[in-house]
Amino acid sequence: QVQLVESGGGLVQPGGSLRLSCAASGSIFSRYTMAWYRQAPGKQQRELVARITRDNTTNYADSVKGRFTISRDNAKNTVYLQMNSLKEEDTAVYHCNYGNYFAPAFGSWGQGTQVTVSS
Protein backbone atom coordinates (compact mmCIF):
# COMPACT_ATOMS: atom_id res chain seq x y z
CA GLN A 1 0.00 0.00 0.00
CA VAL A 2 1.31 3.42 -0.92
CA GLN A 3 1.23 5.99 1.86
CA LEU A 4 0.33 9.54 0.83
CA VAL A 5 1.10 12.71 2.79
CA GLU A 6 -0.24 16.04 1.58
CA SER A 7 1.15 19.44 2.58
CA GLY A 8 1.29 23.06 1.53
CA GLY A 9 -2.21 24.27 2.27
CA GLY A 10 -3.07 27.45 4.10
CA LEU A 11 -5.03 30.68 4.12
CA VAL A 12 -4.65 32.89 1.07
CA GLN A 13 -6.47 35.91 -0.32
CA PRO A 14 -8.41 35.72 -3.58
CA GLY A 15 -6.01 36.01 -6.49
CA GLY A 16 -3.19 34.47 -4.50
CA SER A 17 -1.19 31.30 -5.08
CA LEU A 18 -0.31 28.14 -3.22
CA ARG A 19 1.74 25.07 -4.08
CA LEU A 20 0.60 21.74 -2.69
CA SER A 21 2.85 18.71 -2.36
CA CYS A 22 2.04 15.05 -1.97
CA ALA A 23 4.80 12.68 -0.91
CA ALA A 24 4.22 9.02 -1.64
CA SER A 25 6.03 6.10 -0.06
CA GLY A 26 7.13 3.06 -2.00
CA SER A 27 8.96 2.45 -5.23
CA ILE A 28 5.85 1.98 -7.37
CA PHE A 29 5.03 5.69 -7.57
CA SER A 30 6.23 6.05 -11.13
CA ARG A 31 3.88 3.32 -12.40
CA TYR A 32 0.65 5.15 -11.65
CA THR A 33 -1.43 8.11 -12.65
CA MET A 34 -1.41 10.60 -9.78
CA ALA A 35 -4.31 12.88 -9.03
CA TRP A 36 -5.46 15.72 -6.83
CA TYR A 37 -8.99 15.79 -5.46
CA ARG A 38 -10.79 18.29 -3.28
CA GLN A 39 -13.72 18.16 -0.90
CA ALA A 40 -15.46 21.46 -0.38
CA PRO A 41 -17.15 22.38 2.91
CA GLY A 42 -20.55 20.77 3.27
CA LYS A 43 -20.07 18.46 0.29
CA GLN A 44 -19.79 14.72 0.65
CA GLN A 45 -18.23 13.97 -2.71
CA ARG A 46 -14.66 14.67 -3.67
CA GLU A 47 -14.05 16.42 -6.96
CA LEU A 48 -11.25 15.26 -9.23
CA VAL A 49 -9.26 18.43 -9.84
CA ALA A 50 -6.25 17.28 -11.85
CA ARG A 51 -4.40 14.13 -12.86
CA ILE A 52 -1.06 13.33 -14.43
CA THR A 53 -0.14 10.07 -16.10
CA ARG A 54 3.14 8.17 -16.04
CA ASP A 55 4.19 9.94 -19.22
CA ASN A 56 3.18 13.37 -17.86
CA THR A 57 -0.08 13.75 -19.76
CA THR A 58 -2.27 16.07 -17.70
CA ASN A 59 -5.98 16.61 -17.39
CA TYR A 60 -7.91 19.25 -15.41
CA ALA A 61 -11.41 19.94 -14.23
CA ASP A 62 -12.98 22.82 -16.14
CA SER A 63 -13.23 24.81 -12.92
CA VAL A 64 -9.43 24.99 -12.53
CA LYS A 65 -8.21 24.84 -16.12
CA GLY A 66 -5.72 27.61 -16.84
CA ARG A 67 -5.17 28.33 -13.13
CA PHE A 68 -3.83 25.07 -11.68
CA THR A 69 -0.86 23.01 -12.84
CA ILE A 70 -0.12 19.45 -11.78
CA SER A 71 3.40 18.05 -12.02
CA ARG A 72 5.34 15.10 -10.69
CA ASP A 73 8.90 14.26 -9.71
CA ASN A 74 9.32 10.49 -9.88
CA ALA A 75 12.80 10.68 -8.34
CA LYS A 76 11.27 12.26 -5.24
CA ASN A 77 8.01 10.26 -5.31
CA THR A 78 6.17 13.57 -5.13
CA VAL A 79 3.31 15.15 -7.02
CA TYR A 80 2.62 18.88 -6.91
CA LEU A 81 -0.31 21.16 -7.53
CA GLN A 82 0.51 24.78 -8.33
CA MET A 83 -2.60 26.86 -7.75
CA ASN A 84 -2.74 30.39 -9.10
CA SER A 85 -5.49 33.01 -9.26
CA LEU A 86 -7.25 31.33 -6.38
CA LYS A 87 -10.94 31.95 -5.84
CA GLU A 88 -13.09 31.58 -2.76
CA GLU A 89 -14.76 28.58 -4.38
CA ASP A 90 -11.40 26.79 -4.36
CA THR A 91 -11.70 26.51 -0.59
CA ALA A 92 -11.58 22.81 0.26
CA VAL A 93 -9.55 20.01 1.74
CA TYR A 94 -7.20 18.79 -0.99
CA HIS A 95 -6.17 15.14 -1.22
CA CYS A 96 -3.89 13.26 -3.55
CA ASN A 97 -4.29 9.70 -4.72
CA TYR A 98 -3.03 7.28 -7.36
CA GLY A 99 -4.33 4.65 -9.72
CA ASN A 100 -5.14 4.25 -13.38
CA TYR A 101 -6.24 7.12 -15.61
CA PHE A 102 -9.98 6.51 -15.21
CA ALA A 103 -9.90 5.71 -11.49
CA PRO A 104 -6.89 7.35 -9.83
CA ALA A 105 -8.10 6.52 -6.32
CA PHE A 106 -6.51 3.24 -5.30
CA GLY A 107 -5.12 4.48 -2.03
CA SER A 108 -6.67 5.25 1.32
CA TRP A 109 -7.72 8.84 1.85
CA GLY A 110 -5.47 10.69 4.23
CA GLN A 111 -6.16 13.87 6.14
CA GLY A 112 -5.42 16.05 3.15
CA THR A 113 -4.37 19.67 3.35
CA GLN A 114 -6.77 22.55 3.95
CA VAL A 115 -6.86 25.41 1.47
CA THR A 116 -8.87 28.44 2.49
CA VAL A 117 -9.31 31.34 0.10
CA SER A 118 -10.73 34.35 1.86
CA SER A 119 -10.25 38.08 2.13
Side-chain angles (χ1 to χ4, degrees), residues 6-48:
E6 303 96 341
S7 62
L11 173 63
V12 63
Q13 292 187 340
S17 298
L18 282 173
R19 188 193 195 204
L20 307 184
S21 299
C22 170
S25 66
S27 59
I28 58 173
F29 175 86
S30 62
R31 301 183 192 175
Y32 290 106
T33 290
M34 298 299 299
W36 283 97
Y37 294 79
R38 66 185 180 188
Q39 187 170 16
K43 293 196 174 180
Q44 281 199 325
Q45 267 203 305
R46 290 184 185 90
E47 174 191 12
L48 176 59

Side-chain angles (χ1 to χ4, degrees), residues 71-84:
S71 61
R72 65 191 296 163
D73 185 336
N74 289 339
K76 295 182 178 179
N77 285 358
T78 301
V79 61
Y80 304 97
L81 186 68
Q82 178 66 44
M83 305 186 297
N84 299 328

Side-chain angles (χ1 to χ4, degrees), residues 38 47 49-50 60-69 90 94:
R38 66 185 180 188
E47 174 191 12
V49 172
Y60 299 92
D62 287 343
S63 57
V64 307
K65 208 170 287 184
R67 300 188 297 121
F68 289 11
T69 303
D90 295 319
Y94 284 72

Side-chain angles (χ1 to χ4, degrees), residues 49-110:
V49 172
R51 55 189 154 190
I52 183 166
T53 66
R54 294 181 298 174
D55 61 357
N56 290 321
T57 298
T58 57
N59 176 260
Y60 299 92
D62 287 343
S63 57
V64 307
K65 208 170 287 184
R67 300 188 297 121
F68 289 11
T69 303
I70 188 171
S71 61
R72 65 191 296 163
D73 185 336
N74 289 339
K76 295 182 178 179
N77 285 358
T78 301
V79 61
Y80 304 97
L81 186 68
Q82 178 66 44
M83 305 186 297
N84 299 328
S85 303
L86 282 161
K87 304 176 181 180
E88 291 188 351
E89 51 263 42
D90 295 319
T91 295
V93 177
Y94 284 72
H95 300 263
C96 65
N97 216 313
Y98 68 98
N100 61 39
Y101 182 82
F102 296 103
F106 288 176
S108 301
W109 296 103

